[in-house]
Amino acid sequence: MEFVGNPLTGSMLINVANAALDDCTEVRVAIPYAEHGTNEILLLDDCRRSGKKLSFYGRDDASTPIATKVLKWFLDHKSPNLSCRLVPHWLHAKVIWWVDSGVYIGSANLTDRAWYKNYEVGLFLSHAEIEQAGLTPELEAFFNTLEERSQDLSDEDLRFHLELETKRAKLMAQLRQLEAEAEQNHPALKNKNSAIGIDTRKSEERHNAKFRREWSETLQKIRSIARRVALPENRPHWIGANVPAGVQADQFLHAYYYKYVNPRTEKNAYLREYEKHKRDPEAALAFALSWWKTADYDYEHEKETVEGTSKRLRELVAKGRILSLSQDEWVEAISSVYAFGDHAVKNSNSDLGLGVDPGSRAKILRLAELLYAQRTISNKMSALEVLDYVIWGPGDVADRIWKADSTNKDFKVRHLGRNFYGEVVGWARPDEFPPRNSRSSKALRCLGLEVKVYGG
């Protein structure tokens, strides 16, 4: 055990960190305040250079406790091995766990002053001391709780804090009011119940918030992959540079899952692949990108989707177009959505008014035809109006998908669910929201990423 934080004796956190990093298998960090140092970001750049998996949990509120330069650093270094999760409001602990090497528990934030100048107080326990004291389960429980009460850093989070930063510089006199208003309007920060208190929100609102958080986090994972898939060094020769990154990511995940993992003979192959890659998802992604770039397989289906189907579907569901779709155009549009076809073929022939063994395509087209005149359970909106609202409506897209998929009778159209909406929003707006359905979620799991698979 070592006392850490006395600049007079030289027992500083920077010395402990340098020694512990070499022997650890991964790094887990819970620190409420972080800033970009004089030359680089303490601890974070060292983890990146050494290839150690880093899970960072930082505080999130309208005072921007994790500096925007640090948030941008995580988004710029697009790797599943570098995770940044934001804990709304209540994080105050300072814990750095170099797993299998040791842990620091003390007062130091991730700042130059704390690591080099301040009189901080903390203890460093070696791995042997952690095991002897039986603290490993306690550390695991602590970080698991943070995982549950946090969300992945997204592009929207960075924009949120950059806008605040600009306003703060101009409106210092109104800072306190600005922070209160910003937090109230942020979907993750507006709930200020204590982490150890009782969540008094209604059950529906809690489920909505949980879904919205998971959906947004997975969307951000796909965005990060999309940026890398679209790079020239990762893009196959048959895909043009002008193809939206979201479309490229969808077909990359499709091909990796069906052509490489090949789940047709093993229903839950993605669970096996997840266990294989969960400790190093960056290595799994790097391999998959290399395979995608040079793989020798029949890519005609993917090529047709990129060059034909996705473009046509984007035309049919463009802003201002949906409400005027003819029945034939509606059928063409939704029958092109993988998630819809996956659901349609599971319906019985009799329910669709078809004879014996009509074939999968006939079932998909028939259900699409039936839904053209379908209305929501409350009869308030048509299927076309709901589709237009989900894709182009105001507010958070995850909230709109939740409404259309939940028990809200004003928005619920039978046979259309979150996988369908998540995919079709992606085809309509691939630069903002890459397509997501059960297939892409399973492919992400194959890469070792912790995402939820809805249905399918």
Side-chain angles (χ1 to χ4, degrees), residues 245-261:
V247 172
Q248 295 188 50
D250 178 81
Q251 290 307 290
F252 159 71
L253 293 172
H254 170 90
Y256 179 72
Y257 183 57
Y258 282 114
K259 303 293 174 63
Y260 182 79
V261 176

Side-chain angles (χ1 to χ4, degrees), residues 22 30 44 246 291 344 378:
D22 290 337
L44 307 188
W291 172 85
S378 68

Side-chain angles (χ1 to χ4, degrees), residues 249-307:
D250 178 81
Q251 290 307 290
F252 159 71
L253 293 172
H254 170 90
Y256 179 72
Y257 183 57
Y258 282 114
K259 303 293 174 63
Y260 182 79
V261 176
N262 191 16
R264 291 177 176 83
T265 58
E266 185 181 353
K267 181 180 179 181
N268 293 326
Y270 69 95
L271 298 178
R272 165 176 50 78
E273 292 295 303
Y274 170 74
E275 290 299 323
K276 185 190 304 183
H277 297 304
K278 66 180 181 180
R279 293 300 295 268
D280 194 358
E282 169 61 26
L285 178 57
F287 171 82
L289 289 171
S290 176
W291 172 85
W292 168 245
K293 170 75 173 179
T294 61
D296 182 17
Y297 67 94
D298 180 6
Y299 51 77
E300 286 306 312
H301 173 81
E302 287 79 9
K303 186 175 181 181
E304 170 56 28
T305 299
V306 168
E307 296 181 353

Side-chain angles (χ1 to χ4, degrees), residues 133-382:
L135 293 179
T136 298
E138 300 294 333
L139 288 169
E140 291 280 4
F142 170 73
F143 281 101
N144 286 343
T145 300
L146 290 184
E147 183 77 12
E148 295 172 359
R149 298 181 182 274
S150 63
Q151 63 178 15
D152 272 340
L153 169 68
S154 68
D155 291 352
E156 288 84 357
D157 291 315
L158 177 58
R159 285 198 295 268
F160 173 78
H161 285 289
L162 286 171
E163 291 171 4
L164 277 180
E165 197 170 61
T166 302
K167 292 177 181 179
R168 189 179 293 119
K170 297 178 180 178
L171 305 170
M172 288 300 294
Q174 303 177 36
L175 177 59
R176 295 180 67 86
Q177 179 181 354
L178 170 66
E179 290 179 355
E181 292 175 354
E183 289 187 356
Q184 184 58 37
N185 293 327
H186 190 288
L189 300 180
K190 63 183 179 181
N191 173 44
K192 294 189 177 183
N193 292 311
S194 170
I196 60 175
I198 298 174
D199 192 343
T200 58
R201 292 176 298 169
K202 294 179 181 179
S203 175
E204 178 72 10
E205 185 181 346
R206 288 200 304 273
H207 289 310
N208 183 352
K210 183 178 180 181
F211 166 76
R212 187 175 60 232
R213 182 173 61 250
E214 189 282 331
W215 192 270
S216 298
E217 289 177 1
T218 299
L219 191 66
Q220 189 62 29
K221 289 181 173 69
I222 302 176
R223 284 171 176 161
S224 296
I225 290 174
R227 290 167 181 153
R228 293 175 67 170
V229 169
L231 292 173
E233 60 265 30
N234 294 326
R235 190 174 64 248
H237 66 87
W238 50 270
I239 295 183
N242 62 339
V243 175
V247 172
Q248 295 188 50
D250 178 81
Q251 290 307 290
F252 159 71
L253 293 172
H254 170 90
Y256 179 72
Y257 183 57
Y258 282 114
K259 303 293 174 63
Y260 182 79
V261 176
N262 191 16
R264 291 177 176 83
T265 58
E266 185 181 353
K267 181 180 179 181
N268 293 326
Y270 69 95
L271 298 178
R272 165 176 50 78
E273 292 295 303
Y274 170 74
E275 290 299 323
K276 185 190 304 183
H277 297 304
K278 66 180 181 180
R279 293 300 295 268
D280 194 358
E282 169 61 26
L285 178 57
F287 171 82
L289 289 171
S290 176
W291 172 85
W292 168 245
K293 170 75 173 179
T294 61
D296 182 17
Y297 67 94
D298 180 6
Y299 51 77
E300 286 306 312
H301 173 81
E302 287 79 9
K303 186 175 181 181
E304 170 56 28
T305 299
V306 168
E307 296 181 353
T309 307
S310 68
K311 291 181 179 180
R312 176 58 176 161
L313 185 51
R314 192 152 61 250
E315 293 173 2
L316 291 171
V317 296
K319 193 170 187 177
R321 179 86 160 81
I322 296 174
L323 298 182
S324 62
L325 290 176
S326 68
Q327 183 177 31
D328 287 345
E329 290 172 331
W330 163 267
V331 170
E332 180 186 0
I334 71 168
S335 66
S336 300
V337 178
Y338 168 87
F340 178 78
D342 188 53
H343 168 77
V345 298
K346 297 172 183 176
N347 286 262
S348 69
N349 298 335
S350 59
D351 286 344
L352 296 176
L354 296 172
V356 178
D357 196 22
S360 297
R361 188 60 184 169
K363 297 176 77 170
I364 294 170
L365 296 176
R366 177 57 175 162
L367 183 58
E369 291 171 356
L370 294 173
L371 291 184
Y372 181 70
Q374 183 71 269
R375 299 187 66 82
T376 58
I377 295 175
S378 68
N379 202 39
K380 185 176 181 179
M381 300 172 71
S382 69

